[in-house]
């Protein structure tokens, strides 16, 4: 008898269901920045997923978030027993510290992004990156730092006050910020090279707290570490200056969520006392001050970039500092540059098959 056929009690032949195949883990790229968390991935429904949310987190001891039925919202407990709350609607604790990318806070934020993007209950392979000065050390790839980030993201975490399943991170692959943005520029969505390779490219990735400068030479195949590096400057410095200047102008402390500060810096307007207020002058001064320092740091690395084929500006600050970066000729501010690292991580993974 054919093993694929069985009979019911009335001897009507029926076909056995085909054995189920284990579903491959979903590929998800996450640029876990100090100001924003950006995600691009293969969705559980076969459709691509994208997400961009403020990096907003605080210790649960500072106060939980509950919905109108009294259930906890966005609250997580790590394997180490620490509890955190993630929400765009809360003032965030300071994320600018040297070990952010290997911290419990980063692990919570990555898992929160996966939950928000609909990956709860699914196995995922996370593609992520480290800043250039953490990815390299003393001229070598910093394997210890990479391994530490992988171990951190694989460590345990649970959502509190919810029966919904957590995503299961089965593997983590770590690249280099800035270099990932180069892959976004040179590869198409299928991971195939597009256009003719430049002999030399500089990527300036202006993030939340770090501006990564990656100089690539020899047809895009070699990183020149003498002109690459990182400056501890970024969008969060503008946010800090904006808040300080706004407080001084108003005459009282102004507590704003990361989302509200970001919106004010992008639009030049903020709602205070239930009225829209023009704060474009405050934003302009803060951007000019921080942008000037970024320009000087980049010039220290690459000068005027007169012999470079392309200078690419990416990251969350590319749009914010668009007037500042016109200081260089022949620059390219990449469209939706905030997503460039995440896109590049996905494209590179596809190029490797």
């Amino acid at each position: 008898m054919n093993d694929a056929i069985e009979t019911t009690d009335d001897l009507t032949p029926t076909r056995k269901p085909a054995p189920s195949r284990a579903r491959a883990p979903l590929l998800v790229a996450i640029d876990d920045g100090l100001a924003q968390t950006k995600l691009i991935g293969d969705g559980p429904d076969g459709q691509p997923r994208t997400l961009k949310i403020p990096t907003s987190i605080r210790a649960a001891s500072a106060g939980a978030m509950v919905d109108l039925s009294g259930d906890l919202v966005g609250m997580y407990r790590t394997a180490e027993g620490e509890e955190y709350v993630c929400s765009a609607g809360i003032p965030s604790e300071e994320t600018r510290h040297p070990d952010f990318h290997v911290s419990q806070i980063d692990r919570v934020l990555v898992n929160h992004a996966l939950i928000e993007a609909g990956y709860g209950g699914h196995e995922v392979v996370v593609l992520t990156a480290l800043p250039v000065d953490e990815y390299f050390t003393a001229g070598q790839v910093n394997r210890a730092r990479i391994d530490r980030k992988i171990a951190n993201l694989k460590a345990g975490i649970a959502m509190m006050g919810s029966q919904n399943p957590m995503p299961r991170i089965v593997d983590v692959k770590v690249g280099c910020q800035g270099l990932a943005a180069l892959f976004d520029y040179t590869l198409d969505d299928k991971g195939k090279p597009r256009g003719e390779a430049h002999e030399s490219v500089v990527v300036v990735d202006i993030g939340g707290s770090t501006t990564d400068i990656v100089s690539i030479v020899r047809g895009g195949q070699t990183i020149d570490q003498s002109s690459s590096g990182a400056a501890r400057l970024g969008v969060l410095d503008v946010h800090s200056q904006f808040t300080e200047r706004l407080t001084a102008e108003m005459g009282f402390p102004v507590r704003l969520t990361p989302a509200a500060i970001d919106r004010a810096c992008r639009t030049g307007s903020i709602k205070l006392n239930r009225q829209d207020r023009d704060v474009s002058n405050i934003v302009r001064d803060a951007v000019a001050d921080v942008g000037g320092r970024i320009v000087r740091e980049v010039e220290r690395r690459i000068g005027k970039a007169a012999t470079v084929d392309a200078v690419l500006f990416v990251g969350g600050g590319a749009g914010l500092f668009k007037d500042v970066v016109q200081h260089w000729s022949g620059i390219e501010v990449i469209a939706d540059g905030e997503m460039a690292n995440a896109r590049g991580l996905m494209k590179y993974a596809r190029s490797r098959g």
Side-chain angles (χ1 to χ4, degrees):
M1 181 179 289
N2 188 331
D3 288 340
I5 301 294
E6 63 181 4
T7 60
T8 61
D9 289 341
D10 64 359
L11 301 183
T12 303
T14 59
R15 187 164 298 275
K16 291 180 180 179
S20 60
R21 294 181 180 178
R23 185 171 183 176
L26 298 164
L27 204 60
V28 185
I30 300 179
D31 181 3
D32 45 348
L34 278 72
Q36 282 188 322
T37 304
K38 287 81 63 179
L39 177 152
I40 293 176
D42 297 328
D45 57 0
Q47 298 300 312
R49 297 287 172 92
T50 61
L51 180 74
K52 187 189 302 181
I53 56 176
T55 298
S56 187
I57 187 171
R58 72 184 181 202
S61 58
M65 296 281 285
V66 296
D67 62 21
L68 295 181
S69 63
D71 292 331
L72 294 169
V73 176
M75 190 164 174
Y76 302 87
R77 179 183 290 128
T78 66
E80 295 88 339
E82 299 293 329
E83 296 176 356
Y84 297 94
V85 178
C86 294
S87 172
I90 62 172
S92 178
E93 69 178 61
E94 180 62 71
T95 57
R96 287 175 292 181
H97 58 83
D99 281 339
F100 170 84
H101 285 283
V102 293
S103 68
Q104 293 180 55
I105 285 177
D106 187 46
R107 188 195 319 158
V108 171
L109 289 164
V110 166
N111 278 273
H112 178 65
L114 289 168
I115 290 286
E116 291 291 292
Y119 290 98
H122 295 279
E123 291 189 342
V124 297
V125 173
V126 169
L127 314 172
T128 187
L130 285 166
V132 64
D133 63 343
E134 293 185 49
Y135 189 83
F136 294 104
T137 183
Q140 301 291 324
V141 173
N142 191 345
R143 300 291 179 188
R145 191 69 165 182
I146 292 170
D147 290 345
R148 189 175 169 190
K149 175 149 192 169
I150 291 171
N152 180 58
L153 292 183
K154 284 185 174 181
I157 185 171
M159 185 186 296
M160 301 175 64
S162 172
Q163 299 301 314
N164 294 327
M166 293 292 296
R168 181 166 172 254
I169 299 176
V170 297
D171 197 9
V172 178
K173 301 183 184 299
V174 179
C176 177
Q177 292 177 7
L179 185 58
L182 176 70
F183 296 136
D184 176 49
Y185 180 73
T186 60
L187 301 175
D188 64 19
D189 289 338
K190 295 181 180 179
K192 304 296 184 184
R194 59 181 180 188
E196 193 171 330
H198 290 303
E199 182 60 27
S200 59
V201 178
V202 172
V203 179
V204 180
D205 178 10
I206 307 176
S209 182
T210 304
T211 295
D212 286 314
I213 304 142
V214 185
S215 180
I216 302 101
V217 297
R218 296 183 182 176
Q221 301 301 310
T222 305
I223 297 175
D224 179 5
Q225 293 197 24
S226 67
S227 52
S228 300
R232 293 296 170 181
L233 290 165
V235 173
L236 290 177
D237 295 281
V238 174
H239 289 185
S240 293
Q241 284 209 23
F242 170 78
T243 304
E244 291 171 4
R245 292 168 189 250
L246 180 63
T247 293
E249 185 171 295
M250 297 299 296
F252 58 84
V254 180
R255 293 188 71 216
L256 299 169
T257 65
I261 298 172
D262 183 68
R263 187 164 52 251
C265 289
R266 291 174 187 274
T267 65
S269 177
I270 194 169
K271 187 177 287 293
L272 290 174
N273 298 322
R274 294 168 295 283
Q275 292 184 339
D276 290 329
R277 182 185 182 92
D278 181 7
V279 290
S280 57
N281 60 322
I282 301 177
V283 174
R284 185 173 55 251
D285 290 345
V287 168
D289 180 69
V290 177
R293 285 187 280 158
I294 289 175
V295 165
R296 290 189 289 275
E297 181 60 29
V298 173
E299 282 198 338
R300 190 176 72 82
R301 299 279 182 176
I302 65 171
K304 297 293 185 181
T307 61
V308 177
D309 293 329
V311 180
L312 313 178
F313 278 84
V314 300
L320 186 62
F321 294 101
K322 61 181 182 300
D323 294 331
V324 174
V325 301
Q326 297 302 323
H327 177 82
W328 291 277
S329 61
I331 63 98
E332 295 186 50
V333 179
I334 302 302
D336 198 12
E338 292 166 313
M339 304 297 289
N341 278 310
R343 285 196 305 261
L345 290 167
M346 284 293 287
K347 290 179 180 182
Y348 181 76
R350 297 195 193 288
S351 75
R352 307 294 287 182

